[in-house]
Amino acid sequence: MLKENGYELKLGSGIQMVSNYICEYSIKDDKKISNLLSKAELKANKVSKDILNKKSNKIGKTNFIYKKLYKKYISSCANQDRYFSVEDSCIECGICSKVCPVNNIDIEEGRPRFLHNCEHCLACVHWCPKQAIQWKDVTKDRKRYHNPNVKLEDMMKETIKDI
Ligand code: SF4
Ligand code: SF4
């Protein structure tokens, strides 16, 4: 897209964030999270200065095998929501539907229904106030996480639309 519009990518950098893919692993403890977030903030400040100073670097190419695997993974995401279940602790608040970035959750008679257009981002899982959404049988006892600087209002579609 950049090339098509006459631009070139000049600077690449990575910022390690807290891994929140609880389908595979547990969230780190609070101390580790806090350390990671402090480091991320320092790095983000550095990157932001680099951008302001118009710095450039050599941007590495994505590994071929990783690219292939990622493509396969992405194509399997839409239906991953068939593994979601909603526990009776659901209070029918509708938050899961509001934080879903792709309108994949309909609320029917107060309860979420997944529409198989999922991006497997797990926002619904992490933001459900009752931890009522589970993926297979692996997420039940895993703690939920969201970045402490991000509020629920930030995640709501209406807010995103307004930006
Ligand atoms: S966010 Fe959780 S409690 Fe609220 S409707 Fe969705 S599943 Fe139920
Ligand atoms: S919030 Fe993410 S994981 Fe949940 S249904 Fe929407 S796209 Fe899928």
Side-chain angles (χ1 to χ4, degrees):
M1 284 169 70
L2 287 172
K3 265 186 201 154
E4 278 166 21
N5 290 287
Y7 295 102
E8 192 189 338
L9 199 56
K10 298 258 184 180
L11 181 76
S13 192
I15 300 177
Q16 190 185 356
M17 298 302 291
V18 178
S19 301
N20 59 358
Y21 188 57
I22 59 169
C23 297
E24 288 292 336
Y25 39 74
S26 303
I27 303 293
K28 289 183 173 11
D29 64 48
D30 289 349
K31 198 164 171 229
K32 282 187 183 152
I33 289 176
S34 163
N35 281 341
L36 266 171
L37 290 176
S38 304
K39 280 186 194 159
E41 193 169 340
L42 287 174
K43 184 81 187 282
N45 285 337
K46 185 190 171 306
V47 173
S48 136
K49 274 185 196 141
D50 287 348
I51 293 169
L52 286 173
N53 293 327
K54 297 194 180 340
K55 274 197 173 178
S56 63
N57 62 11
K58 194 166 184 276
I59 300 160
K61 288 209 164 110
T62 309
N63 177 298
F64 171 73
I65 296 171
Y66 179 77
K67 248 186 184 171
K68 269 200 123 168
L69 285 174
Y70 192 70
K71 216 172 166 184
K72 201 171 166 209
Y73 163 74
I74 287 294
S75 64
S76 75
C77 277
N79 259 325
Q80 288 293 320
D81 59 2
R82 70 190 185 281
Y83 297 118
F84 282 140
S85 59
V86 180
E87 295 181 335
D88 288 345
S89 55
C90 169
I91 51 169
E92 306 185 355
C93 64
I95 286 175
C96 49
S97 169
K98 288 182 184 149
V99 300
C100 176
V102 288
N103 295 321
N104 188 46
I105 304 176
D106 254 2
I107 298 292
E108 277 182 11
E109 294 177 5
R111 308 275 294 205
R113 186 170 69 88
F114 298 91
L115 304 175
H116 309 309
N117 187 31
C118 183
E119 298 217 331
H120 205 45
C121 69
L122 304 185
C124 54
V125 176
H126 284 287
W127 284 92
C128 169
K130 301 309 273 181
Q131 300 199 3
I133 303 177
Q134 309 300 341
W135 192 79
K136 295 186 177 172
D137 59 353
V138 294
T139 55
K140 188 162 179 49
D141 296 321
R142 290 184 178 161
K143 90 172 172 180
R144 276 34 176 180
Y145 168 80
H146 25 89
N147 186 302
N149 298 315
V150 178
K151 295 187 182 66
L152 180 58
E153 306 88 84
D154 302 327
M155 296 293 295
M156 305 287 222
K157 282 193 284 276
E158 286 78 8
T159 313
I160 290 168
K161 244 187 269 159
D162 288 347
I163 288 173

